Amino acid sequence: MAREFALEKTRNIGIMAHIDAGKTTTTERILFYANKVHRVGEVHEGMATMDWMEQEQERGITITSAATFITWNGYGINVIDTPGHVDFTVEVERSLRVLDGAVAVFCAKGGVEPQSETVWRQANKYKVPRIAFINKMDIMGADFYNVVDMLKNRLHTKPVPIVLPLGKEDDFAGIIDVISQKEIIYNDKTGKDFTTMDIPEDMKELVAKYRQDLLEVCADYDDEIMMKVLEGEEVEQDKIIAALRKATLAMDITPVLCGSSYRNKGVQKLLDAVVDFLPSPIDVEDVKGMDLKGNEITRPSSDNAPLAGLAFKIAVDPFVGKLTFFRIYSGVIKSGMTVYNSNKKKKEKIGRIIRMHANNRTEISEAYAGDIVAIIGLKETTTGETLCDADKIIVLDAMVFPEPVVRLAIEPKTKIGQEKMAAALVKLAEEDPTFRTYTDAETGQTIIAGMGELHLDIIVDRLLREFKVEANIGKPQVAYREAIKRSARGEGKYVRQSGGKGQYGHCIIEIEPNESGKGIEFIDETVGGSIPKEFIKPVEEGIREAARGGILLGYEMVDFIVRIKDGSYHEVDSSEMSFKIAGSMAFKDAASKAEPIILEPLMSVEITVPENYIGDVFSTVNGRRGNIKEMTDRPGLKVIDADIPLSEMFGYATVLRSATQGRGNYVMQLNCYTEVPQSERKRLLEGKNG
């Protein structure tokens, strides 16, 4: 089987946006115009191709990122439709990690919303060039130019409109192509029948202004264009496109388009822009990794280079078992070949290779550099791990995932369900790196933890539907953390003598606060072999284990530095276990003296309400330990930005609805962890001891 599309004619793109901006609807139209589907699936009818999970169809939201492959004008495009809800932000994170470009979709009324900012930052982190599509130009309150300003002011990018709207709201009839200076009017409901004509007189001045701005951007990337602009000569379209492409790939600009996906207007132009402006695998930097000695190495995007690829998502399919979504950066994979998992240092056999279309599959015998495929048959590989050539080993940069912030207790309704539930939770945790499950050491309860109430609601729903496990669940609880405020010294001495060989471990440590988010750092400062080198690691393990249980409320203690200062050992009785226990004892001793504190998740909350309810909404925020940061205007609405502790947000949807007669709504995302106030600390400690 030969390569279907040359590397330079391959695109790997993601569709990303805030919830309800119209991401999945846009993806559905892309499939329709690329002849991948022959009937458009609507999200609100629960018929969207890319929202294939039952839970997605019922709720009208995207939960899991879905991959598909389309062709457009001789190009092969892998498309990943990502979720917009903050609880499923990990899906965006791991998709952006393996994509070369992205389409950011914005609502023409809402503009840049909180989750838009989050996904934009994620794309910046992975250096993913973007184009912007301002959707829903047909809805009441649509304002293209306001959203362009928001892109500049909120996202700190340089938006360059290459398309302008022809009318807005009910009068939105089509688009004006700034590059070709032609207007496109859509004549039928499918958007396939359109007419291209000259710009109307009343738009000529505005189009000329935006075209001049566009040419000035191009002039920075092409000297020939600069000369033509200075001399007032006409610039060829292909030269403009080439210069804009350079600027987009350098992430200096964001080309902006507009349309209405639901009304089938402007999507073909968006597909043209994907091909024209977003990178192929050979336009992005060679993928970086480490060799076995820790030296940085790279792999070029080429079929002839040694194999290097990243498993970025695991999905459990009821028909074929475990699917591993895999981005190939270099080399070729074939069914039946043996590859090497460089994270686990184990060989894996490639079973079947699948090209995905949502939850439908097409089997292929081999895949090439630049491809995104799913592999059936991998036994060891999990999210974020590298598969490579066993003779040319590389470990690609790991993926980092946020810690869960909400947890609840769960138990099966029947004894028989116990084993089924345990197996199901392991599978779900393997699929989703932000979902955790563990047993509470004190109560013996099974705890599940995730990114929000909706996240855990979906998990419980999937347990019932996919794994046939009925469960009782407790109330959602906040996943607090613990930390320390000052330095302290601690000693752990573990001595046991019982007839035969005894146990002896002894260490002295100092702990001090670390920067927020830096985690736990260990420094060995022992001298003269007071603790033999082979026992330093067990001391560290003992401290890490003790830190997981904290010392105030049983929550994990984070962000501290440990200096192992001194200790002693016994020639016969010392062992790894005795030093592990000594490390745990030393940590508890030091942490109790280091002014331990409780940290709680603080959420950034954006509340959108009609103006006449502002006073009532302020009261709901102030009554929840909230801090209002700013208030901005949108047509007919007020937008309140506030910081509110997560523990105060349970049930807020109902309170807000009743305060605004059902007209207010909010979205939230994790801002940071912050120390709980004294009154709250007292309440939490009394709750534990009471």
Side-chain angles (χ1 to χ4, degrees), residues 446-467:
T446 300
I447 305 293
I448 58 174
M451 299 309 294
E453 287 180 272
L454 178 61
H455 188 194
L456 295 182
D457 191 19
I458 297 293
I459 293 285
V460 172
D461 196 22
R462 289 186 64 192
L463 275 176
L464 177 61
R465 294 200 202 190
E466 288 174 40
F467 301 99

Side-chain angles (χ1 to χ4, degrees), residues 645-688:
L646 177 61
S647 59
E648 303 286 349
M649 290 304 294
F650 295 123
Y652 185 61
T654 309
V655 171
L656 182 64
R657 273 198 294 270
S658 90
T660 61
Q661 295 185 352
R663 296 174 65 194
N665 61 57
Y666 77 93
V667 289
M668 67 175 182
Q669 59 190 354
L670 180 65
N671 179 356
C672 63
Y673 272 82
T674 184
E675 184 180 354
V676 300
Q678 205 57 39
S679 58
E680 187 67 8
R681 175 190 168 105
K682 188 180 174 191
R683 185 186 70 78
L684 289 167
L685 289 171
E686 282 172 358
K688 188 198 178 205

Side-chain angles (χ1 to χ4, degrees), residues 120 151-159 251-254:
W120 197 268
L151 289 174
K152 186 162 50 186
N153 299 329
R154 285 201 179 186
L155 301 180
H156 311 295
T157 185
K158 185 173 185 177
M251 289 175 60
D252 293 337
I253 66 161
T254 303

